[in-house]
Amino acid sequence: MKAYELLFFVDPTIEDQDKASLMSRIQSTITDQGGKIENVDEWGKRALAYEINELTEGDYTLIEFSLDPANVAELDRVLYITDAVVRYLITLKA
């Protein structure tokens, strides 16, 4: 398994229960693929550098996790089809 970081943001007006279910879905996707979540760091609301989908702010979250490289594609697919996630980036930790 390799160490990864996932940084994503959602619309800051999203309901708390919707964000909780989104976090649950992301975490279960990682753990169901045999991964391990190391740390979850909620950054909160931050200003965007430019407007995206009429949003000027985003609610950011950073998740550090370990996962087999072959299973990262499934996490990428889940994030891509999730409407609540505006943008995301999965990077390999050095």
Side-chain angles (χ1 to χ4, degrees):
M1 289 199 300
K2 294 189 177 186
Y4 292 93
E5 288 182 336
L6 164 63
L7 179 65
F8 68 94
F9 76 90
V10 297
D11 186 339
T13 61
I14 194 171
E15 296 291 327
D16 288 339
Q17 75 180 43
D18 292 337
K19 185 171 181 193
S21 67
L22 171 66
M23 289 297 295
S24 173
R25 182 173 182 193
I26 291 171
Q27 290 176 351
S28 67
T29 301
I30 293 169
T31 56
D32 289 349
Q33 299 295 321
K36 180 182 175 192
I37 296 175
E38 308 293 335
N39 187 29
V40 177
D41 189 11
E42 296 196 18
W43 291 2
K45 294 180 185 177
R46 304 269 175 127
L48 302 178
Y50 54 91
E51 190 174 296
I52 300 174
N53 298 339
E54 300 179 6
L55 296 175
T56 57
E57 285 186 329
D59 192 357
Y60 284 81
T61 304
L62 175 71
I63 301 176
E64 297 175 5
F65 63 97
S66 299
L67 188 62
D68 186 39
N71 297 330
V72 174
E74 175 62 18
L75 176 61
D76 185 57
R77 185 190 71 79
V78 168
L79 290 165
Y80 184 76
I81 64 173
T82 304
D83 292 334
V85 177
V86 179
R87 293 285 194 274
Y88 67 93
L89 179 66
I90 303 171
T91 57
L92 184 63
K93 287 177 68 174

